Amino acid sequence: MAALIELAYLAAAALFIIGLKRMASPATARAGNFLSAVGMLIAIVGTLLDRHIVSFQWIVVGGAIGSGLGLWMARAVRMTAMPQMVGILNGFGGGASQLVGAAEWHRLMQPGALLPLDTAVSIYMSTLIGGVTFAGSMVAAGKLQEIVPGRPVLFPFQHLFNLVLFLGGAAMGMYLLISPGRPEVFAAMNVAALLLGVLLVIPIGGADMPVVICLLNSYSGLAAATTGFVISNHGLIISGALVGASGIILTQIMCRAMNRSFTNVLFGGFGAAIAASGGSGGRGAAPRGVRETSAEEAALLLGYARSVIVVPGYGLAVAQAQHQVRELADLLEKRGVEVKYAIHPVAGRMPGHMNVLLAEANVPYPKLFDMEQINPAFEWTDVALVVGANDVVNPAARNTPNSPIYGMPILDVDKARHVIFLKRSLNPGFAGIDNELFYNEKTFMLFGNARDSLMKLVQEVKNV
Amino acid sequence: MMEGLVILLVIFVLAMFVGLEVVTKVPARLHTPLMSGSNAISGITIIGSTVVAGLGATKLATVLGVIAVAFAMINVVGGYVVTDRMLQMFKKKPEGGK
């Protein structure tokens, strides 16, 4: 029976790998996800065959509650809220690892007796990583949902304090290796892990949350793997490693897209620096000349253009305006205007987020172009229509060395003949940085909610 | 007993390489579903949670185990369903577009 269970885990791990491999193309991705889910089912059924399991009723209760909640969340969530969703799910995975560690510790702990070294080490690792993942993910999700302040929360000696906390957690783990029968020390270690999770994420600005979510995704994989070490389960280890790897890669991609080093994201307190230098270039700056336009004028510009590149940003997502963008694009195409979409790697709030949103609006994906593909085309483009994007088109990234986003690869919107910004106000973007492009003479600002503005544009283009 | 740990480490490291290899091939446009999908896989802690919840050891261990099962299932079911929701949109696009 034990061999059978091991085989079930092997099958599950194989299915996970095949599933991830199928993610390489949109055509096979859905089937891949299904295979991965089948793998999970096989793993769960295999586990239930374990002869050590004596009572099933509580497993069923816990499983039913969890499944119900998971199903409800997955159905109810808006595509715009996907980053928070992934963060929350991630947190639950980490929380489960922490709980397994705690439960195993409580089961195995005998006053006075020593735990086998490998078991003990695995339990403490699972507890610590799981706790950090749980608390960190929840704070990150809170920041993305704007329940928790998105601005970096900093206090003096923060990094030092975190280091002490981390070393303290590790030290408590070590102490427990020598004298395991100390519940209060174990509890303190758990609290330290949770606190560390909160404190590691809270100083990181809202704009960097996608990186944090990727990183925590990686942690939740590592947490699963360490749980595998706790109960000597190969299936858990393999799957955890897969997730850990995918999280690491996505973290790298995000960092590269923002031209930030990994350590800079984690320890930079991004956004705080801006607050300091914000007096000159930030919100407080004296109002400079901005050319405000009407929907009518913008529609004329668009309607008589030969080529238009739409640059969607998070503002589009917030306004749920992906469908209106497509309607406008369809209308323009009917008039013979060539319409393309330029997708910045960090458009939206997680890698690939904008693609999902546009997919929801049925925008055909051959029309979506990555940054490297489309940047040379701006020069030959009549109108760049920026919908709710800001930092990813800010030329300061190219020519203002003291700007916090200096060096970040951007879409070369400023090279287009005309730029139309659909924006709610002149407020700086998520990163809190002013955009000189607003004040450029070829820029037209159309203020208002992106969705309303687009609807007006659709009306006006019909009349052109 | 350390040998057992080493074997587990070997498996872990090799699986890491497989993961890196497979995931790098996923195109940027599918990164969001990739994240939620791989996230669902990290719900594999459901295995550990199930064993712990079902051992019938101490009362506290069982309670913690059951909560762990619920947490892990949220991760698993939520992750797979939401990934499917996204991928379904990607699939219907070629004929839905134009």
Side-chain angles (χ1 to χ4, degrees), chain A residues 198-223:
Chain A
V198 173
L199 290 180
L200 281 177
V201 175
I202 212 125
I204 302 173
D208 282 339
M209 276 309 120
V211 185
V212 176
I213 298 267
C214 292
L215 184 68
L216 290 167
N217 196 21
S218 176
Y219 284 178
S220 75
L222 295 181

Side-chain angles (χ1 to χ4, degrees), chain A residues 291 418 437-444:
Chain A
R291 185 144 48 148
H418 300 282
L437 195 54
F438 298 160
Y439 313 103
N440 192 304
E441 53 185 17
K442 63 185 173 191
T443 302
F444 298 85

Side-chain angles (χ1 to χ4, degrees), chain A residues 166-204:
Chain A
F166 172 75
L167 293 177
M172 284 188 266
M174 305 268 198
Y175 176 75
L176 286 167
L177 287 180
I178 333 168
S179 56
R182 300 290 298 273
E184 70 284 356
V185 178
F186 185 76
M189 190 180 78
N190 276 276
V191 173
L194 292 172
L195 198 59
L196 191 60
V198 173
L199 290 180
L200 281 177
V201 175
I202 212 125
I204 302 173

Side-chain angles (χ1 to χ4, degrees), chain A residues 322-335:
Chain A
Q322 56 270 46
H323 300 280
Q324 280 70 27
V325 160
R326 165 141 197 260
E327 203 183 339
L328 180 64
D330 285 352
L331 263 179
L332 290 174
E333 281 180 330
K334 256 186 228 144
R335 295 179 54 93

Side-chain angles (χ1 to χ4, degrees), chain A residues 9 16 20-21 23-27 29-30 33 36-37 40 47-48 52-55 58-59 62-63 66-67 70-71 74-75 77 79 82 86 89-90 92-93 96-97 99-100 103-104 106-107 118 213-214 217 220 222 224-225 227 229 231 233-234 236-239 241-243 245-246 248-250 253 326 350-353 355-356 359-360 362-365, chain B residues 1-2 5 8-9 11-12 15-16 18-20 22-58 60-62 64-94 96-98:
Chain A
Y9 292 152
F16 292 154
L20 283 177
K21 212 169 153 46
M23 281 272 185
S25 150
R30 199 177 175 199
N33 185 53
S36 177
M40 187 62 75
T47 308
L48 291 175
H52 298 294
I53 294 182
V54 290
S55 65
W58 289 111
I59 297 176
S67 306
L71 192 63
R75 289 261 174 85
V77 69
M79 287 299 148
M82 205 46 72
V86 172
L89 291 175
N90 218 351
F92 280 118
S97 292
L99 288 166
V100 170
E104 277 293 274
H106 189 259
R107 182 173 73 87
D118 50 355
I213 298 267
C214 292
N217 196 21
S220 75
L222 295 181
T227 311
F229 284 96
I231 56 171
N233 185 311
H234 301 169
L236 265 174
I237 294 175
I238 297 175
S239 323
L242 290 175
V243 181
S246 94
I248 289 170
I249 290 183
L250 290 168
I253 290 175
R326 165 141 197 260
M350 68 192 287
H353 192 196
N355 298 78
V356 171
E360 190 187 13
N362 279 327
V363 174
Y365 55 70
Chain B
M1 62 185 168
M2 262 334 207
L5 194 60
L8 298 182
L9 260 176
I11 295 176
F12 175 74
M16 237 5 209
V18 174
L20 291 172
V22 175
V23 170
T24 2
K25 302 238 159 63
V26 179
R29 72 166 78 104
L30 288 179
H31 276 164
T32 294
L34 167 68
M35 243 169 107
S36 61
S38 62
N39 206 330
I41 296 177
S42 75
I44 190 76
T45 32
I46 183 68
I47 293 178
S49 315
T50 306
V51 173
V52 170
L55 284 176
T58 62
L60 182 62
T62 307
L64 292 175
V66 171
I67 302 175
V69 168
F71 274 22
M73 277 317 270
I74 293 178
N75 192 345
V76 169
V77 176
Y80 281 120
V81 173
V82 92
T83 308
D84 188 66
R85 238 183 95 193
M86 280 188 269
L87 291 173
Q88 173 199 345
M89 300 181 322
F90 276 90
K91 236 187 159 179
K92 71 181 180 209
K93 211 160 38 173
K98 281 269 148 169

